[in-house]
Structure formats: C-alpha cells, structure tokens
C-alpha cells in the first residue's frame, strides 16, 4: 500500500534488520540509507519538476485557448465587416440594375413610338408621291 504524499518513510537505525522486498531480512547499511535518501530526494525533485511542468503546460493551454478565442472573434469580426460591405455593394448593384432596367424599358417604349411615327411619315410621303 503506497504511503500518503508528504509522509516520510520510517528510518531504521544503521545495522538494524528490515524485511526486504522479497520477504527476507535485509540489513540497512549507512551507505544504502544514504543512497535511498538520495534516490528519494531525486524522485521528489523529479515529481516537483513534473508538477511544475504540468502547471506550466496547463497555463500554456489556457493561454492558447484565449488566443484562439480572440483570433476567432477578430476573424469573425473581419468576416462580418466584409459580409456587410458585400451586402451594401450587392444592394447598390441591385438598385443600379433596377434603374437601368427602367431606363431600357423607357427607351423601348420611345423606340416603338418613334417607329410608329416613322411609319406614319412614310405613309404620308408615299401617299403624297402617288399621282393624283
């Protein structure tokens, strides 16, 4: 069963027997105790460094998320502005097309009227040219 974090492993006085990993008695020598202490400190330092790296990574993830959100809002803002500009341009072109269509219809009516008057003039000229 693992020890709760922060709870030190009990130390045995040098030369005292302890039950080892495989159930046999081991004698803890001062050199071995120092080696275990050094390994424990190294493991704790590694765990602390990994914890700090994980915190830094979390901060970096949050920062990236915020930047992505800001970039998305800027992009959407720009896209919205472009959309509004395109919409205004389409409205203007629609109005121009409406005006031009009206102008063309007027010109057609005038042309039909002029053709009618031209036929009348031609008929009068033709009638006037006929011998009496």
């Amino acid at each position: 069963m693992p020890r709760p974090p922060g709870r030190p492993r009990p130390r045995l006085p040098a030369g005292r027997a302890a039950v080892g990993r495989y159930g046999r008695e081991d004698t803890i020598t001062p050199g071995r105790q120092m080696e275990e202490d050094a390994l424990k400190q190294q493991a704790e330092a590694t765990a602390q460094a990994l914890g700090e790296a994980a915190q830094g990574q979390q901060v970096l993830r949050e920062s990236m998320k915020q930047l992505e959100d800001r970039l998305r809002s800027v992009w959407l803002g720009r896209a919205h502005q472009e959309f509004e500009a395109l919409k205004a341009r389409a409205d203007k072109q629609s109005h121009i097309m409406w005006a031009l269509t009206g102008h063309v219809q007027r010109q057609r009516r005038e042309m039909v009227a002029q053709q009618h008057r031209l036929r009348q003039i031609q008929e009068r000229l033709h009638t006037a040219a006929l011998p009496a």
Side-chain angles (χ1 to χ4, degrees):
M1 180 170 160
R3 277 187 310 284
R7 201 162 170 218
R9 184 174 172 180
R11 289 183 167 197
L12 294 174
R16 217 154 144 215
V19 178
R21 192 179 295 179
Y22 302 104
R24 58 178 192 239
E25 286 190 10
D26 287 335
T27 304
I28 299 179
T29 61
R32 184 170 171 197
Q33 185 69 46
M34 286 175 42
E35 186 179 321
E36 285 184 11
D37 289 347
L39 288 174
K40 181 181 174 188
Q41 287 177 349
Q42 186 179 8
E44 288 172 353
T46 301
Q48 183 177 356
L50 286 174
E52 290 171 0
Q55 284 177 339
Q57 209 170 22
Q58 183 63 32
V59 168
L60 183 61
R61 270 192 213 109
E62 291 170 2
S63 176
M64 281 179 51
K65 174 92 172 86
Q66 289 174 353
L67 287 173
E68 285 174 349
D69 291 344
R70 286 174 53 193
L71 182 62
R72 189 175 299 115
S73 69
V74 165
W75 183 83
L76 288 176
R78 191 175 311 138
H80 183 70
Q81 289 173 349
E82 289 175 12
F83 172 73
E84 290 297 325
L86 286 173
K87 196 165 78 170
R89 185 174 178 189
D91 288 346
K92 185 177 179 181
Q93 287 179 343
S94 176
H95 178 73
I96 291 170
M97 286 301 295
W98 174 80
L100 287 175
T101 301
H103 185 67
V104 168
Q105 288 174 349
R106 242 185 335 276
Q107 284 182 334
R108 281 186 186 155
R109 285 193 302 266
E110 288 177 13
M111 193 168 76
V112 167
Q114 286 175 352
Q115 286 174 344
H116 180 69
R117 278 181 279 187
L118 183 61
R119 271 189 228 112
Q120 287 175 342
I121 293 170
Q122 285 175 341
E123 286 175 9
R124 285 185 206 150
L125 285 174
H126 182 65
T127 306
L130 288 176

